[in-house]
Amino acid sequence: WLKAQVQLLLSSLHSLGSKAASERIQMSLSIQPVSDGVQTAVVVVDPYSSGKYLLPEFESLGVPMIAVRSTTKMSKQYLRSHDTNLRFFVKVLEFEDMAGGVQQLVDSLGSLPYKIIAVLPGSEPGVVLANLLAHELRLPTANPIELLPARTDKAEMQDALRNNGLLAAKQFKSENLEQLLEWARNDGQWPLVAKPVGGAGSEGIFYCNQEDDIKAAHKHIIGNCSSIGALNTQLALQEFLRGDEYIVDTVSFDGKHICVALWVYQKIHGLPWNHTAIMPSTYMLLPAAGEIQDALVGYVFKVLDAVGLKYGPCHTEVILTDCGPVLVEVNARMHGMQGPRLIELCTGVSLATYTIDSMVFGGKLFQHLYDAGCVAGGRYLYPLQKNCKTVCLMSPVEGWLQSSIANAIAKMNLPSAIEVLPTVTMGEWLYATKDLPTLAGSVLMVHESIDQINADIQKIRDAEARLELYPVLLDDSC
């Protein structure tokens, strides 16, 4: 199973003198899940974003997939991907049509000629339902239901850290504007960050320098739905954490954890056209080893324990402050969008491969890598074969897009740009960027030379500044 993808890891294990372990990994990759002669299947809840990388891997294994959609009230980008991927599924179930809730979903699955062996969230909107369903099906890889709020509510997860003696952000959560303003006045520390307690990415996050910014955040967030279909009923005010922001991608099995990728963000606090925005500009894949990496991974492993993440992938965002690492948020799913592919291109193994091993194949690959790290006197260190950055495209203007963003960047002939992923096509409405859902797109940059990547990024930013990527008209009749 995907032997070419793990060849680099096998070589690493050979270098540790563990030839037998390498052979066992190769044997484990050919194992097919079976259960008492009954055909087995997996459920992928909301198979959008990076969840699409699970689908061809399960298909190559001959494992039937059942899609469950938690809601259809989400962004067009998610809905389009669902239509594209319908061919992978033996059945699609619509949860929003089930008045009986999770129990009706369990009954619907039980009526199918399959034994469900795993439930995986394909994207952020599917995290809650996937966890509830795995719990009701009594699957061995279900994470503890009593800590589900600590894995999905951006305020509850901070409380879980404090309860376990870990560094956490100072915060206050409420739906009431006056209570939020009173807390800000009493706290007296500016700036603050306002955010919905749910949601994905930097959507709905406000950088607040004054009370009017909090009022604007409250108006924008409370009572409105996110791009993933969730109704925002509460807002969290948190202290602004000063320091570089990092992403730690992990996979867990039976309460143990390995780190499979580390990234550093370059973030912008306030844009010339939107002073309350907090936006990622780029993020870069880091080597696995180093003093900072050790501090981040050690902290995140404790965070995963505190929020009850025992099985599966997690995408954790952390800021390294003067006091040490402090959590921004836990996302109990795979790194979004193209994350699994980038990890594969640069380290040799896709995040989807790690995830399937942990959730379906009994963590055989996980255990070999975990044990190899222990034998080496520390933790598993993923190999870094190529450099990588993802560039977030930010439009300062809005209107009807008059030409293709992808074609404009392709004409630049950038050596490190392997893929352009516009969120808007020619003839569609382009929004002025203020958060992740309003990005104009992203560019995946992979190359042996980080200098080449940086030079190519500068050319993209120069083209953005000249508005060459974003020719728009306000009148669509032209």
Side-chain angles (χ1 to χ4, degrees):
W1 169 44
L2 301 175
K3 292 180 180 178
Q5 287 188 306
V6 299
Q7 190 58 50
L8 188 57
L9 286 178
L10 299 180
S11 298
S12 299
L13 289 176
H14 276 301
S15 69
L16 292 171
S18 184
K19 185 174 184 296
S22 299
E23 291 171 349
R24 287 197 299 271
I25 289 176
Q26 290 185 354
M27 291 173 60
S28 73
L29 297 180
S30 65
I31 295 175
Q32 299 290 324
V34 294
S35 179
D36 301 326
V38 179
Q39 189 170 18
T40 57
V42 298
V43 173
V44 184
V45 182
D46 292 331
Y48 318 124
S49 185
S50 58
K52 68 183 180 183
Y53 290 104
L54 296 170
L55 311 184
E57 295 214 15
F58 277 129
E59 183 181 52
S60 71
L61 292 165
V63 178
M65 290 166 278
I66 300 165
V68 173
R69 293 207 291 179
S70 64
T71 179
T72 57
K73 299 177 179 65
M74 53 182 59
S75 70
K76 291 181 181 179
Q77 185 179 1
Y78 279 173
L79 297 179
R80 281 197 300 261
S81 69
H82 173 75
D83 294 338
T84 301
N85 293 324
L86 277 175
R87 66 179 183 85
F88 287 105
F89 306 117
V90 296
K91 186 71 175 179
V92 176
L93 299 175
E94 303 288 358
F95 182 69
E96 67 182 1
D97 295 337
M98 298 182 180
V102 176
Q103 185 56 54
Q104 184 176 346
L105 178 56
V106 170
D107 294 341
S108 296
L109 290 168
S111 68
L112 301 176
Y114 302 101
K115 179 178 177 60
I116 306 303
I117 56 172
V119 177
L120 301 89
S123 56
E124 185 63 33
V127 170
V128 171
L129 182 56
N131 205 145
L132 293 173
L133 180 58
H135 175 76
E136 289 299 318
L137 292 173
R138 294 178 171 81
L139 297 177
T141 54
N143 287 305
I145 202 72
E146 65 273 12
L147 287 174
L148 180 57
R151 296 190 294 275
T152 55
D153 183 303
K154 294 177 184 178
E156 294 283 343
M157 58 186 65
Q158 299 287 348
D159 291 339
L161 301 194
R162 271 184 283 273
N163 292 338
N164 284 272
L166 298 175
L167 282 176
K170 184 170 53 176
Q171 68 175 14
F172 178 73
K173 179 176 74 171
S174 177
E175 76 284 353
N176 185 281
L177 177 59
E178 288 305 317
Q179 291 179 357
L180 293 163
L181 291 172
E182 182 180 3
W183 183 84
R185 294 180 193 123
N186 292 337
D187 182 63
Q189 300 292 319
W190 298 90
L192 294 169
V193 175
K195 62 175 73 173
V197 297
S202 65
E203 180 181 10
I205 296 182
F206 283 72
Y207 179 66
C208 301
N209 280 302
Q210 56 187 343
E211 290 188 12
D212 283 347
D213 295 337
I214 297 176
K215 294 176 184 177
H218 185 273
K219 182 179 180 180
H220 177 84
I221 294 170
I222 300 299
N224 293 317
C225 287
S226 70
S227 64
I228 61 174
L231 178 65
N232 297 319
T233 60
Q234 289 190 306
L235 182 153
L237 274 182
Q238 292 182 348
E239 66 172 309
F240 176 72
L241 299 170
R242 301 184 187 277
D244 291 331
E245 184 167 353
Y246 297 84
I247 298 169
V248 183
D249 286 320
T250 56
V251 176
S252 302
F253 183 81
D254 196 23
K256 296 182 288 189
H257 320 291
I258 61 172
C259 173
V260 298
L262 277 154
W263 311 77
V264 61
Y265 269 124
Q266 180 184 359
K267 277 205 168 185
I268 298 173
H269 300 104
L271 295 165
W273 57 92
N274 190 316
H275 74 277
T276 64
I278 302 179
M279 282 298 305
S281 174
T282 63
Y283 56 95
M284 178 178 70
L285 184 62
L286 296 174
E291 185 177 351
I292 289 176
Q293 290 92 321
D294 289 343
L296 293 168
V297 171
Y299 173 79
V300 166
F301 284 0
K302 293 176 183 177
V303 168
L304 298 179
D305 292 339
V307 302
L309 202 293
K310 296 180 179 295
Y311 291 94
C314 196
H315 174 77
T316 304
E317 300 181 16
V318 176
I319 290 179
L320 187 58
T321 72
D322 290 341
C323 297
V326 180
L327 179 71
V328 175
E329 63 186 48
V330 163
N331 302 280
R333 49 153 174 90
M334 293 195 300
H335 188 135
M337 302 304 289
Q338 309 299 314
R341 181 189 178 202
L342 291 176
I343 292 172
E344 178 181 3
L345 288 173
C346 296
T347 72
V349 180
S350 169
L351 182 54
T353 301
Y354 289 115
T355 298
I356 291 173
D357 168 73
S358 171
M359 299 297 288
V360 180
F361 285 92
K364 294 178 176 63
L365 177 60
F366 174 96
Q367 195 61 53
H368 288 302
L369 299 178
Y370 183 89
D371 290 345
C374 293
V375 169
R379 57 181 174 85
Y380 166 64
L381 301 176
Y382 58 84
L384 186 61
Q385 189 175 14
K386 293 182 180 179
N387 293 293
C388 168
K389 283 190 177 184
T390 294
V391 180
C392 299
L393 298 176
M394 294 178 283
S395 171
V397 295
E398 62 183 21
W400 299 101
L401 187 64
Q402 299 301 294
S403 63
S404 166
I405 295 172
N407 288 346
I409 294 177
K411 290 177 182 177
M412 297 167 69
N413 295 316
L414 305 175
S416 66
I418 64 166
E419 189 172 1
V420 181
L421 300 161
T423 58
V424 182
T425 59
M426 185 172 63
E428 293 183 331
W429 183 264
L430 173 69
Y431 288 95
T433 301
K434 63 180 180 181
D435 52 19
L436 283 182
T438 54
L439 281 178
S442 59
V443 185
L444 311 184
M445 322 287 283
V446 176
H447 202 274
E448 288 80 3
S449 168
I450 193 64
D451 291 336
Q452 181 65 62
I453 291 176
N454 290 334
D456 291 345
I457 291 174
Q458 187 58 53
K459 291 179 181 178
I460 292 173
R461 294 303 186 210
D462 291 344
E464 282 189 315
R466 295 190 297 266
L467 300 183
E468 293 174 359
L469 304 184
Y470 313 122
V472 297
L473 288 176
L474 294 178
D475 185 355
D476 65 345
S477 65
C478 297

